[in-house]
Amino acid sequence: MRILIAEDDPVSRRVLESMLKKWGYDVETTTDGLEAWKVLQGQDPPQLAILDWMMPGMDGLQVCREVRGRANHPYCYILLLTAKGQDSDVIAGLEAGADDYLTKPLRANELRARLYTGKRILAVQRELLAAQEALRIQAVRDPLTGLFNRRYMHESLEQELHRAARAQLPLGIIMVDLDHFKVFNDTAGHLAGDILLKDLGSFLQAHTRREDVVCRYGGEEFVVILPGAPPGVTERRAELIRSAVKEAELQRHSRSGVAVTLSAGVATFPEHGSSAMELLSAADRALYRAKADGRDCVRVGPVEAAAPRARGAQPELPSSWPLRPAR
Ligand SMILES: [Mg+2]
């Protein structure tokens, strides 16, 4: 573990350095506060710092305040060294953001024990960050396929639509649905069904661009958001996905001669709507047509002319989302 020492007194500095090295720490030494602050701002700085209180340039308290004042940095555990021992000084040090303090002259055993405490706190901190990161991933990912989940899809689609509208760029979405998945589940079992969905997730990821957002919409249904893709590109991509699945490794899941096939509905901005709701609804209706037309095909947008709605008639969009006939 690396430790930064900032101490202007050469004797103190040497004593401290040799103790730490003896205990197996990697030591970086600086002789004033400014230098210490520079090191702590650098790439991959030491996570533990021993700062003398009284130093030229910037004193230990100022360095503490600067370190605590920045956001989004890995935590730095700070031990303040002081010749002062009055209560008010200790409080000032802790208020400035020091984690602990030691009074000079240093006693080796005490320093060693305080360093253990620091290491323990840093370890807890690392675990917390790892847990937080895991939670963040859980919040946006579908656990089975590892793809983005439905919640993230909605957020992402809203965001991409805003971006597209502002930059006057097109955007495409493809709604993909595995054909006859219910039958597959009933005959092969849910476990096999899960493996098929997982493989399909990987397949979709492998057959889309890096900037595309591939999401599991729910059940055997997936949504791919294609930022910047005009209608032709989106439709061709859907068609490629549909045809490629027939040659894919995925066919090992086919049962008694029934191949694994996909149906897809395509909708694009601005042609089929300008809100996430409108686009999803358009893609959903296209997908429904693909199913009705015998599955294993791609359909684009709504062809039905928007019939003029009678005064007082029910709105076209379902009030609860989604609402659709069983497939
Ligand atoms: Mg000093």
Side-chain angles (χ1 to χ4, degrees), residues 236-255:
R236 274 197 298 280
R237 174 61 53 178
E239 186 50 39
L240 186 144
I241 289 171
R242 185 204 62 83
S243 58
V245 87
K246 302 179 137 185
E247 311 298 326
E249 176 45 23
L250 222 54
Q251 291 305 329
R252 70 188 170 88
H253 294 289
S254 57
R255 289 288 142 108

Side-chain angles (χ1 to χ4, degrees), residues 287-300:
L287 174 58
Y288 187 71
R289 278 205 335 274
K291 293 283 180 180
D293 290 350
R295 301 181 171 86
D296 187 20
C297 59
V298 175
R299 293 292 178 264
V300 180

Side-chain angles (χ1 to χ4, degrees), residues 37 40 65-75:
W37 174 225
L40 290 173
R65 285 195 198 96
E66 293 295 339
V67 168
R68 295 302 177 233
R70 61 189 182 173
N72 296 325
H73 268 268
Y75 194 76

Side-chain angles (χ1 to χ4, degrees), residues 13 38 77 92 122 160 178 183 201-202 237 277 279-280 318:
R13 191 168 61 236
K38 216 152 115 191
Y77 189 91
L122 287 171
E160 291 298 341
L178 200 51
V183 179
S202 309
R237 174 61 53 178
M277 221 48 154
L279 280 187
L280 286 169

Side-chain angles (χ1 to χ4, degrees), residues 1 19-26:
M1 176 171 199
M19 279 198 274
L20 294 180
K21 281 188 171 159
K22 200 173 77 191
W23 297 332
Y25 294 105
D26 285 331

Side-chain angles (χ1 to χ4, degrees), residues 90-107:
V90 169
I91 289 165
L94 296 178
E95 272 177 359
D99 292 285
D100 203 353
Y101 68 96
L102 274 172
T103 44
K104 295 197 239 183
L106 289 176
R107 287 171 299 276

Side-chain angles (χ1 to χ4, degrees), residues 6-9 12 31 51-56 81 83 104:
E7 165 66 279
D8 59 326
D9 177 61
S12 245
T31 57
L51 308 177
D52 187 27
W53 185 313
M54 303 292 277
M55 286 186 290
L81 293 184
K104 295 197 239 183

Side-chain angles (χ1 to χ4, degrees), residues 189-236:
H190 287 276
L191 208 61
D194 280 354
I195 297 170
L196 171 53
L197 290 175
K198 205 168 162 215
D199 287 352
L200 179 56
S202 309
F203 167 85
L204 287 175
Q205 204 123 50
H207 287 79
T208 45
R209 304 169 304 174
R210 228 188 136 77
E211 65 265 39
D212 296 338
V213 186
V214 186
C215 316
R216 185 171 178 209
Y217 195 47
E220 68 274 32
E221 205 163 6
F222 299 81
V223 168
V224 185
I225 303 170
L226 301 91
V233 169
T234 310
E235 190 181 350
R236 274 197 298 280

